[in-house]
């Protein structure tokens, strides 16, 4: 991986990148989190620089992998792109040049939607259906490129506010789809087969996570919280079928009690949350279902199947 020149690495206010003959200088801090800090780029409002302190060699390898995917191998409107990468070994810090999203995570949006009674429910539902289709598009592209994300959840979907545009982020756990890579991810969204180290992990682990994400998106709680069921864990593998049966029964009950604009997404969620990975629909099929079954009165233009390629 080519590294660009880093200037004044000991002072984040003077970090510069050279990329495609252009120099990008770091601006003000616009966000902080457990991962590190995000800075604006002077004169380039469409870009940001993320500063990440390195915690270990394994952490560095995960970041390298994500940059390799998002800078070189993946190029899609619903996947966040990175453009340059620099490691400052003296300060054990990585600087990454990303495209900028003027918005927040899908998780933040879900919390906001779930805590308020929307004055225009159809407009809010239109946003949810729109985002759901975009996530399916991005996930389908990732799978066609031979990769499994392995950590699909609302926290790893960034949503640009205007125009509404979702992008999948955080590819540190991604692997070629034929590789079995253990547990990882978030237990509330992890497919049950990830608990068995001998079971091959395919695209289907992302499809289970997609089902969990869609439930969270439309019902404002995780499937486990909403159904008052314990999430899967390695100590209770034997009761996974029992937990799964409770989840399925809960979804079936919601089919008759939820308003029609939301209930119509439940059959897709039920199919995505099947114990047998081979029975889960693909991201392409999930997108087709959402496009075909979106209720009338939703004002976002539906994507055609050509947008999946």
């Amino acid at each position: 991986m080519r590294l660009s020149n880093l200037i004044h690495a000991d002072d984040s206010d003077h970090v510069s990148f050279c990329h495609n003959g252009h120099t990008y200088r770091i601006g003000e801090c616009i966000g902080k989190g457990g991962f590190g800090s995000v800075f604006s780029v002077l004169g380039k409002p469409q870009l940001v620089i993320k500063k990440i302190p390195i915690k270990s060699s394994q952490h560095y390898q995960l970041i390298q992998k994500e940059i390799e995917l998002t800078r070189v191998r993946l190029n899609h409107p619903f996947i966040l792109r990175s453009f340059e990468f620099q490691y400052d070994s003296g300060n054990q810090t990585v600087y990454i040049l990303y495209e900028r999203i003027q918005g927040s995570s899908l998780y933040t949006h879900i919390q906001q939607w779930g805590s308020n009674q929307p004055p225009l429910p159809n407009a809010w539902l239109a946003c949810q259906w729109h985002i759901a289709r975009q996530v399916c598009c991005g996930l389908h592209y990732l799978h066609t490129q031979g990769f499994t994300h392995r950590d699909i959840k609302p926290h790893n979907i960034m949503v640009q506010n205007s125009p509404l545009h979702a992008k999948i982020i955080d590819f540190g756990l991604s692997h070629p789809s034929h590789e079995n890579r253990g547990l990882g991810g978030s237990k509330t969204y992890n497919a049950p087969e990830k608990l068995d180290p001998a079971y091959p992990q395919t695209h289907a682990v992302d499809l289970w996570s997609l089902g969990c994400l869609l439930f969270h998106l439309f019902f404002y709680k995780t499937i486990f919280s909403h159904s008052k069921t314990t999430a899967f864990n390695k100590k209770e593998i034997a009761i996974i079928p029992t937990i799964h049966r409770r989840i399925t029964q809960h979804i079936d009950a919601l089919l008759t009690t939820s308003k029609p604009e939301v209930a119509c997404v439940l059959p897709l969620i039920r199919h995505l949350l099947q114990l047998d990975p081979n029975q889960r629909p693909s991201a392409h099929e999930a997108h087709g279902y959402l496009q075909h079954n979106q209720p009338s009165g939703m004002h976002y233009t539906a994507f055609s199947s050509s947008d999946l390629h």
Side-chain angles (χ1 to χ4, degrees), residues 14-35:
H14 295 90
V15 170
S16 297
F17 277 100
C18 292
H19 174 64
N20 286 345
H22 300 283
T23 299
Y24 301 95
R25 294 181 63 82
I26 199 166
E28 64 178 350
C29 180
I30 57 176
K32 290 185 178 182
F35 60 86

Side-chain angles (χ1 to χ4, degrees), residues 31-166:
K32 290 185 178 182
F35 60 86
S37 304
V38 178
F39 296 84
S40 63
V41 178
L42 296 177
K44 299 291 181 180
Q46 74 276 22
L47 298 172
V48 294
I49 292 175
K50 184 183 289 187
K51 177 183 177 182
I52 306 175
I54 299 301
K55 301 174 182 178
S56 64
S57 58
Q58 183 181 18
H59 184 210
Y60 179 63
Q61 290 170 1
L62 290 176
I63 293 173
Q64 275 190 310
K65 184 197 309 176
E66 175 173 357
I67 300 307
E68 177 67 20
L69 283 175
T70 57
R71 187 174 75 91
V72 179
R73 306 189 66 170
L74 301 177
N75 185 3
H76 191 269
F78 302 133
I79 290 178
L80 186 70
R81 290 204 67 193
S82 63
F83 301 103
E84 195 52 89
F85 164 87
Q86 179 64 56
Y87 177 47
D88 174 15
S89 58
N91 289 324
Q92 293 291 295
T93 301
V94 165
Y95 298 87
I96 308 169
L97 184 68
Y98 279 106
E99 62 176 316
R100 183 173 185 173
I101 301 296
Q102 300 281 2
S104 54
S105 72
L106 179 56
Y107 179 76
T108 299
H109 283 274
I110 290 172
Q111 285 187 309
Q112 292 171 346
W113 289 333
S115 62
N116 295 283
Q117 181 63 37
L120 297 173
N122 277 359
W124 286 45
L125 278 171
C127 293
Q128 293 164 340
W129 282 84
H130 186 66
I131 291 169
R133 291 197 311 272
Q134 291 184 332
V135 172
C136 289
C137 286
L139 194 56
H140 170 73
Y141 170 79
L142 180 66
H143 291 171
T144 62
Q145 300 305 301
F147 289 92
T148 301
H149 188 280
R150 300 185 69 251
D151 198 16
I152 292 293
K153 58 183 179 180
H155 310 67
N156 286 338
I157 309 295
M158 289 297 295
V159 181
Q160 180 174 287
N161 292 329
S162 182
L164 197 67
H165 194 105

Side-chain angles (χ1 to χ4, degrees), residues 161-174:
N161 292 329
S162 182
L164 197 67
H165 194 105
K167 287 182 180 282
I168 301 172
I169 67 170
D170 197 350
F171 291 83
L173 294 178
S174 299

Side-chain angles (χ1 to χ4, degrees), residues 166-228:
K167 287 182 180 282
I168 301 172
I169 67 170
D170 197 350
F171 291 83
L173 294 178
S174 299
H175 284 284
S177 299
H178 63 277
E179 296 184 11
N180 181 10
R181 291 288 178 168
L183 190 55
S186 304
K187 69 176 184 178
T188 310
Y189 302 90
N190 270 345
E193 63 266 24
K194 290 179 74 174
L195 298 175
D196 185 351
Y199 202 97
Q201 294 181 24
T202 65
H203 298 322
V205 299
D206 285 345
L207 300 171
W208 174 281
S209 300
L210 176 63
C212 293
L213 180 147
L214 292 177
F215 189 94
H216 200 169
L217 173 60
F218 285 95
F219 291 90
Y220 311 126
K221 290 184 179 180
T222 68
I223 181 63
F224 294 103
S225 174
H226 203 280
S227 61
K228 299 180 180 179

